[in-house]
Amino acid sequence: MTGAARGVNRREFVQTMAAIGATTVFCRAPRTADPARIDKIGIQLYTVRDQMKADFEGTLAHIAEIGYKEVEFAGYFDHAPADVKAILDRHGLAAPSTHISFENDNQWKAALDAAKTIGHEYIVMPWIPAERRKTLDDWKNFAQVFNHAGQAAHAAGIQFAYHNHDFEFPKMDGQVPYDLLLQSTDPQLVKLEIDLYWITKAGQDPLDYFARWPGRVPLVHVKDSAGAPEHKMADVGQGKIDWKRIFAKRDQAGIKHFFVEHDQPPQPFDDIAASYKYLKALEF
């Protein structure tokens, strides 16, 4: 075979192999995205309030040992803000959020000062007393209170949010109070901490609110329901709520922090460990 012939054959071989390689690339199945997981699982400390009262630091240490990385406070049990921060640091915990009700400007300023010392990024109004939400005008007034509290928090570099129960959803004079509250507040000043148990118990779909208010839900409470009609609270993963369906929309909602909660856990430390184990393994 002449050198020229060998050159032609070699070129044909290279061209053929390149064509095969290209075909292989184009026929290869597309790579699917890896499933998402919760990076830092948090807990609302109301779940272990009795334990916190009895042994503040010991309870936080136990929570860290379980594997929780974040906590949301519901009272500091007479501990100074600097001491709270030091205890959190000792046990490798962050506290991005706290529950504190707005009472007046002086009280709120003190709460914001404490929040900055501890390192909170969010300050959450936990609920509205029954005697102060009897009419739609009451809700309209609270919307203005929230805007005011949110503006003061914003000026301090902290984000204000509101935590729902189920009482916000039954219609009043043809309107849903929760919807009125959201429509009457500045979305930048008043974010939402949606409690996924309570909104489910109220017969609402949290995904509807994620879609209507995208990016407004940086925080969620994660607690399970054993189902209608009683909606008995359950450890996360042992009830009927479809967590994969909800968390698949976390980017739309804007969720950054997931706080496990159980209002009346039978065995608090065992219960929060079970919820943690479920969420740690959850893919969505």
Side-chain angles (χ1 to χ4, degrees), residues 125-231:
M125 181 85 167
W127 83 315
I128 298 174
E131 66 275 10
R132 300 182 66 187
R133 48 179 163 87
K134 293 182 177 181
T135 68
L136 278 180
D137 282 341
D138 288 340
W139 286 97
K140 292 175 183 177
N141 289 336
F142 258 104
Q144 297 314 307
V145 169
F146 285 5
N147 281 327
H148 176 73
Q151 181 61 59
H154 178 75
I158 296 172
Q159 178 66 61
F160 176 82
Y162 175 66
H163 164 271
N164 67 279
H165 288 78
D166 58 349
F167 57 72
E168 295 91 348
F169 298 96
K171 286 187 175 180
M172 186 178 290
D173 296 336
Q175 296 190 58
V176 175
Y178 193 62
D179 293 354
L180 175 66
L181 188 65
L182 302 192
Q183 294 160 5
S184 304
T185 51
D186 185 330
Q188 298 305 312
L189 297 179
V190 181
K191 299 294 186 182
L192 309 178
E193 179 174 59
I194 291 186
D195 188 302
L196 297 166
Y197 165 87
W198 286 115
I199 199 170
T200 298
K201 185 175 185 293
Q204 304 295 314
D205 186 347
L207 267 59
D208 289 344
Y209 282 90
F210 294 175
R212 288 163 57 191
W213 298 100
R216 200 175 178 180
V217 191
L219 317 161
V220 288
H221 275 189
V222 186
K223 56 187 172 190
D224 220 331
S225 164
E230 293 86 1
H231 284 285

